[in-house]
Amino acid sequence: QVQLVESGGGLVQPGGSLRLSCAASGSIFSINAMGWYRQAPGKQRELVAVIISGGSTNYADSVKGRFTISRDNAKNTIYLQMNSLKPEDTAVYYCNADVTRPLGMGAMSRSDYWGQGTQVTVSS
């Protein structure tokens, strides 16, 4: 079993900053990638940022230069530092992890896991 626990969401004024955290726990052999997605009311869920096991990152054009994704491999944790926040950043933010876990007898299982989501509201 794998669990993702998110924290750091809340209400912030335009131009402010927030840092989101997501910690993965449970029976984990390896994590291929972790990322952040968001979904605003009436819109599709979109990729915000992803970090791959080798350390490379990718960002949505709308957040480049303002958001930074990072990781602490020892803690199986990723972070999303959000600066210069805008009202259009308002959304529910979800953590995602591509996890390989052991089943026993040398067998492995690779699956996608999601956090519960955390609300980020940018408003004056």
Side-chain angles (χ1 to χ4, degrees), residues 28-68:
I28 298 171
F29 179 80
S30 63
I31 299 178
N32 184 60
M34 294 184 73
W36 292 96
Y37 293 72
R38 68 185 181 187
Q39 187 167 22
K43 295 185 178 181
Q44 297 285 100
R45 187 175 298 187
E46 65 173 350
L47 176 68
V48 177
V50 62
I51 185 164
I52 300 172
S53 61
S56 62
T57 59
N58 193 36
Y59 297 90
D61 288 342
S62 60
V63 307
K64 286 180 180 177
R66 300 187 298 120
F67 291 9
T68 302

Side-chain angles (χ1 to χ4, degrees), residues 4-103:
L4 302 180
V5 179
E6 300 160 315
S7 62
L11 174 65
V12 66
Q13 294 184 348
S17 298
L18 285 173
R19 190 177 80 151
L20 306 183
S21 300
C22 174
S25 62
S27 181
I28 298 171
F29 179 80
S30 63
I31 299 178
N32 184 60
M34 294 184 73
W36 292 96
Y37 293 72
R38 68 185 181 187
Q39 187 167 22
K43 295 185 178 181
Q44 297 285 100
R45 187 175 298 187
E46 65 173 350
L47 176 68
V48 177
V50 62
I51 185 164
I52 300 172
S53 61
S56 62
T57 59
N58 193 36
Y59 297 90
D61 288 342
S62 60
V63 307
K64 286 180 180 177
R66 300 187 298 120
F67 291 9
T68 302
I69 188 170
S70 61
R71 69 184 180 187
D72 183 339
N73 288 333
K75 299 180 179 179
N76 284 335
T77 298
I78 61 166
Y79 307 91
L80 186 67
Q81 180 66 48
M82 304 185 292
N83 298 326
S84 301
L85 283 162
K86 305 175 181 179
E88 50 263 45
D89 295 318
T90 295
V92 178
Y93 284 70
Y94 296 91
C95 179
N96 173 265
D98 178 0
V99 177
T100 297
R101 63 185 183 91
L103 299 178

Side-chain angles (χ1 to χ4, degrees), residues 96-119:
N96 173 265
D98 178 0
V99 177
T100 297
R101 63 185 183 91
L103 299 178
M105 304 298 289
M108 300 287 180
S109 178
R110 182 174 177 178
S111 300
D112 224 34
Y113 294 88
W114 292 90
Q116 77 286 350
T118 184
Q119 178 71 48

